[in-house]
Amino acid sequence: MDDSEKDRTQQLRVGRLTKAHGLKGAIKLELFTDDPGRRFVPGAVFTLQVPTGSAWHGKTIELVELRWYNQHAVGFFKDVVDRSAAETLAKAILWIDADVAEQSDEEDAWYDHQLVGLAVVRDGVRIGTIGRLEHMPAQDLLIVKTPTGDVMIPFVKAIVPSVDVKNGVVTITPPPGLLEELPEDPADVEMTHAEPETDSVLETDAAASAVETDRP
């Protein structure tokens, strides 16, 4: 891929391998796309996000077949021939290259770079801006820049009920205690009305590219 092609693409997170299924190398999948029929087709190649100590670090994996068992997605992958091999891939995150111009028609689907710099609002008060996203094995985290420092917000519907990319606002409803040290007085948060960062597009090999969190 030449530089011009790289400029037009970002990585899109589409799934997570959860645990081995059966004895023939099958692996259960948590899907982050509402269109698995397009993303998970035989021959599809995914970049793996795994710990640096894993034998799979820096490698890709090719899908042989996607099946459904009791409404759970199960993948069969090239060179993963038994349960032992499948277990080495538990909690790996799957990424694909996608055109940055591609737009999703699905609800609750965003790229990382669309979220970075958006204002974060709680109870009508702006408390900061999104600095980056962290894609963790258990869940995604919004890293919110506030006057008192960075705050990690779980990117789940119960805590982040609204993402309005068009108007540049993310609404959060954190549980008691999560943001205890943030200022409550709107006058204290005037400093947060600075221009959003524009150079924070996430482009690392794992956490930053783009999310087709076709759902959070």
Side-chain angles (χ1 to χ4, degrees), residues 48-58 88-93 137:
L48 291 165
Q49 179 186 337
V50 294
T52 55
S54 169
W56 293 97
H57 182 67
T88 66
L89 285 161
K91 298 185 179 180
I93 296 176

Side-chain angles (χ1 to χ4, degrees), residues 28 61 66 97 108 162 184:
K28 285 188 175 182
I61 194 168
L66 182 71
D97 289 327
D108 295 344
S162 175
E184 296 293 337

Side-chain angles (χ1 to χ4, degrees), residues 15 82 86 93 181:
D82 56 30
I93 296 176
E181 296 185 8

Side-chain angles (χ1 to χ4, degrees), residues 11-17 29 31-33 35-36 38-50 56 58-66 75-78 89 92-97 212:
Q11 286 206 307
L12 196 67
R13 190 190 62 142
V14 293
R16 179 186 288 116
L17 304 177
L29 278 157
L31 301 178
F32 302 135
T33 172
D35 193 4
R38 180 162 71 104
R39 301 299 188 190
F40 289 86
V41 296
V45 176
F46 305 94
T47 299
L48 291 165
Q49 179 186 337
V50 294
W56 293 97
K59 296 183 178 180
T60 59
I61 194 168
E62 180 179 334
L63 180 69
V64 175
E65 184 180 4
L66 182 71
F76 294 80
F77 296 89
K78 186 177 180 180
L89 285 161
I93 296 176
L94 303 179
W95 299 77
I96 62 172
D97 289 327
E212 181 180 58

Side-chain angles (χ1 to χ4, degrees), residues 19-28 69-70 73-76 83 86:
K19 62 181 180 179
H21 177 82
L23 302 176
K24 297 183 179 180
I27 312 172
K28 285 188 175 182
Y69 294 93
N70 298 323
V74 175
F76 294 80
R83 186 178 184 87

